[in-house]
Amino acid sequence: MFKVINENLENHQTDALIIGLFEENKESQSYYQLLNGKFNGHLDELVQSGDISNKEGSVSKVHTLGLIEAKRLYFVGLGKRDAKTVHTVRNTFGKVFKQLAESGVAQASIQLNSIVSEEGQTDYVEAIAEAMAMAPHQLQTYHTDREEGSVDLANVQFLTDQSQGVVEAANTGYALGNGANIARHLVNLPGNLLTASDLAAFAENIANKHDIEIEVFDHEKIKAYGMGALLAVNQGSDEPPRFIVMKYQGKDTWDDPVAFVGKGITFDTGGYSLKPKDGIIGMKMDMGGAASVIGAMDAIGHIKPKENIMALIPATDNMISHTAYKPDDVIVTMSGKTVEVRNTDAEGRLAMADAVTYARQNDAAKIVDVATLTGGVVVALGDQVTGAMTNNEKWFSEIQEASEQVDEPIWQLPYLDVYKKQVRKSHIADLNNSPGRKAHAVMAGAFVGAFAEDTPWVHLDIAGTAMAEGEHDLGPKGPTGVMARTLAKAMMNVK
């Protein structure tokens, strides 16, 4: 898919030749001047007329009319050179790859030295390849008259005289982006087409593709393990629950694994604490955390970091029936801790409690959970920043560093004793699953944290960031696949 060559621009054959253009004096930009000469100065005229722009985020298409071997030129506006970042390049190339997809371009070449010098080159290549995977991604629909899919960009060549690490970085970036796409695909599936069993089957396919160990617990095995919280959430459903365990071994021996825990509620009615009619629409996305974990495991299978990773997904829907669990019920979790149910719509934290306990009992060195957990985090942080909590600042800093590298920002919420005490306030059980509306996002995280105990733990609430309200540079409206790249990147950073 990716190739590095060192060839003169005027002689290079390609469907699309992509050149970076900065705002600084274009006379100092040799690639532009070379092409301008081949076009007899007409590129300068296009710049003056505004048909070619060097403003950050602009993409300008020019047909070559046989003046050079490339069929089309795409000038990518990168703004001021000293303001360029990996993130601005990633987003701008998202626009480029969308245009290439719309034009049906199957092969493209990027003049890499026009974008970045040798220093830090692989970081930019990785980001460009992420954009290549993510930006043109189309979500599956069920229209009977849907059009045929567009031509995929199958080959990208990087024109550069510094080739070391470029192809490897491109493959890594594409794997990260495709991991996010897998998460998007899963979140987009309707609840009737993605039951807990379906989610487990999808995870098995990912595991088999990469030779990752996987075990799927059925209802009987979940019961044998004492996962009373997961079983309580499942009580009202005709669909059996599943507990998914994936194990990637990147070290010589299986020790000190990092545990990814993903909330896998395939549809959430709220149970007897029923959601309102407007709030229940879209609840197929309540397995977004599980989707991100599975997407991250696919990326990890490609990238192969030197870390042991255990992915844990408690999967069920949350339905209403005569067998469903109820407010005032007391349930016994896998940890042995008892929980008073005050809100059946606070089900995700219950299912995750058993998964976090499983991680601890299976010697996880660190835990990170991902969940569409609360509306409260959306009120607090909106839809651009993921809420986070932790009991270990060093582990949090590792996750935060990875999130910054892939531009999936997180913000740490307080995890103080006053909050820990509130989830332990129950006259009848060890904990309660919903102390009230105040500090709702923090209360939910504090409940999960009670089961992490002293194991380093980071909680990521993606209720706001899991969905995009409109099309954006790196993808379509709808599921974002957020945190799939962050999780995988964090494992890549392990030295």
Side-chain angles (χ1 to χ4, degrees):
M1 177 179 287
F2 298 107
K3 185 178 180 182
V4 173
I5 61 175
N6 187 9
E7 189 173 47
N8 293 331
L9 290 185
E10 63 269 31
N11 297 325
H12 181 64
Q13 294 183 346
T14 183
D15 292 338
L17 178 57
I18 302 167
I19 308 292
L21 202 59
F22 290 94
E23 289 184 19
E24 282 80 358
N25 189 345
K26 63 179 178 297
E27 282 74 16
S28 67
Q29 301 183 50
S30 59
Y31 302 106
Y32 172 86
Q33 287 304 320
L34 173 64
L35 293 169
N36 191 42
K38 292 294 180 180
F39 279 73
N40 299 315
H42 291 307
L43 293 185
D44 279 344
E45 296 176 12
L46 292 174
V47 170
Q48 292 167 8
S49 66
D51 293 300
I52 295 177
S53 174
N54 52 21
K55 299 299 182 184
E56 182 184 304
S58 66
V59 180
S60 310
K61 176 182 174 181
V62 177
H63 286 280
T64 64
L65 303 175
L67 295 174
I68 60 174
E69 293 297 323
K71 293 181 180 178
R72 306 170 187 84
L73 281 174
Y74 285 82
F75 288 101
V76 179
L78 298 173
K80 295 186 181 299
R81 191 181 295 271
D82 59 2
K84 175 198 66 182
T85 68
V86 170
H87 303 329
T88 60
V89 169
R90 183 191 290 110
N91 289 336
T92 300
F93 267 84
K95 297 178 181 178
V96 174
F97 290 122
K98 283 190 175 188
Q99 286 199 23
L100 294 179
E102 290 170 1
S103 300
V105 173
Q107 189 269 333
S109 299
I110 301 169
Q111 211 323 307
L112 190 56
N113 297 100
S114 69
I115 299 163
V116 61
S117 61
E118 180 180 359
E119 183 179 355
Q121 193 175 75
T122 54
D123 291 339
Y124 283 89
V125 170
E126 186 176 303
I128 289 170
E130 285 178 66
M132 177 183 165
M134 295 174 67
H137 180 73
Q138 295 295 311
L139 297 168
Q140 181 178 349
T141 71
Y142 302 91
H143 298 102
T144 56
D145 59 347
R146 63 184 180 272
E147 297 179 0
E148 294 296 323
S150 59
V151 175
D152 291 331
L153 182 59
N155 296 291
V156 170
Q157 298 179 105
F158 291 96
L159 305 181
T160 178
D161 53 4
Q162 302 290 339
S163 62
Q164 185 174 3
V166 169
V167 171
E168 181 181 358
N171 286 330
T172 295
Y174 196 84
L176 290 171
N178 194 57
N181 288 342
I182 285 172
R184 288 169 166 175
H185 168 72
L186 288 170
V187 173
N188 188 57
L189 289 171
N192 62 323
L193 299 181
L194 188 72
T195 64
S197 298
D198 295 327
L199 188 63
F202 192 97
E204 287 179 320
N205 287 336
I206 295 294
N208 292 337
K209 179 171 71 170
H210 298 295
D211 198 23
I212 293 172
E213 182 182 340
I214 186 167
E215 184 177 5
V216 177
F217 295 9
D218 62 11
H219 186 282
E220 290 305 311
K221 190 161 188 177
I222 292 170
K223 185 176 180 180
Y225 268 77
M227 296 183 179
L230 174 57
L231 290 174
V233 177
N234 178 253
Q235 275 179 213
S237 179
D238 287 336
E239 292 290 340
R242 294 290 182 263
F243 186 74
I244 304 165
V245 181
M246 304 172 75
K247 292 182 178 180
Y248 165 86
Q249 185 170 335
K251 299 178 181 178
D252 292 338
T253 58
W254 180 257
D255 51 34
D256 299 327
V258 175
F260 295 166
V261 175
K263 175 184 171 183
I265 305 299
T266 57
F267 193 85
D268 182 18
T269 67
Y272 276 107
S273 305
L274 184 65
K275 293 179 182 292
K277 63 183 179 64
D278 293 334
I280 205 168
I281 298 294
M283 282 299 104
K284 67 179 186 179
M285 57 83 74
D286 211 20
M287 36 61 65
S292 296
V293 165
I294 292 172
M297 293 302 286
D298 181 76
I300 284 165
H302 283 288
I303 298 165
K304 302 191 182 330
K306 297 184 183 300
E307 184 61 279
N308 292 334
I309 302 156
M310 178 167 49
L312 307 173
I313 298 168
T316 180
D317 49 10
N318 183 25
M319 306 298 284
I320 298 175
S321 77
H322 69 285
T323 60
Y325 80 133
K326 308 170 297 298
D328 290 338
D329 283 0
V330 173
I331 59 178
V332 182
T333 66
M334 182 182 179
S335 69
K337 293 183 176 73
T338 56
V339 178
E340 177 190 1
V341 177
R342 293 187 179 177
N343 181 356
T344 62
D345 195 23
E347 85 298 328
R349 66 199 73 174
L350 292 174
M352 292 173 67
D354 283 342
V356 169
T357 298
Y358 182 92
R360 278 181 49 80
Q361 292 185 3
N362 285 270
D363 302 320
K366 294 180 283 192
I367 300 169
V368 55
D369 77 70
V370 187
T372 51
L373 207 59
T374 65
V377 81
V378 186
V379 175
L381 298 177
D383 60 3
Q384 299 298 310
V385 178
T386 292
M389 293 172 64
T390 191
N391 63 5
N392 186 285
E393 292 298 329
K394 183 178 184 299
W395 177 221
F396 174 77
S397 69
E398 293 176 36
I399 297 296
Q400 186 174 44
E401 178 186 5
S403 75
E404 291 171 350
Q405 289 171 325
V406 299
D407 199 21
E408 293 183 332
I410 65 177
W411 189 265
Q412 187 175 357
L413 300 171
Y415 185 46
L416 306 176
D417 287 344
V418 64
Y419 299 124
K420 298 174 187 177
K421 290 177 181 177
Q422 287 185 53
V423 298
R424 291 182 170 88
K425 282 185 179 179
S426 170
H427 71 287
I428 198 170
D430 298 326
L431 302 109
N432 77 81
N433 77 326
S434 185
R437 297 186 63 184
K438 293 180 180 179
H440 184 209
V442 176
M443 290 297 103
F447 181 89
V448 178
F451 295 85
E453 298 187 9
D454 58 353
T455 301
W457 160 78
V458 170
H459 164 64
L460 300 171
D461 190 339
I462 61 170
T465 52
M467 301 290 283
E469 292 185 353
E471 186 172 344
H472 52 100
D473 289 344
L474 292 179
K477 175 182 177 180
T480 61
V482 70
M483 291 299 132
R485 290 182 296 145
T486 291
L487 295 181
K489 189 70 172 177
M491 298 301 96
M492 289 170 54
N493 290 343
V494 174
K495 304 300 182 186

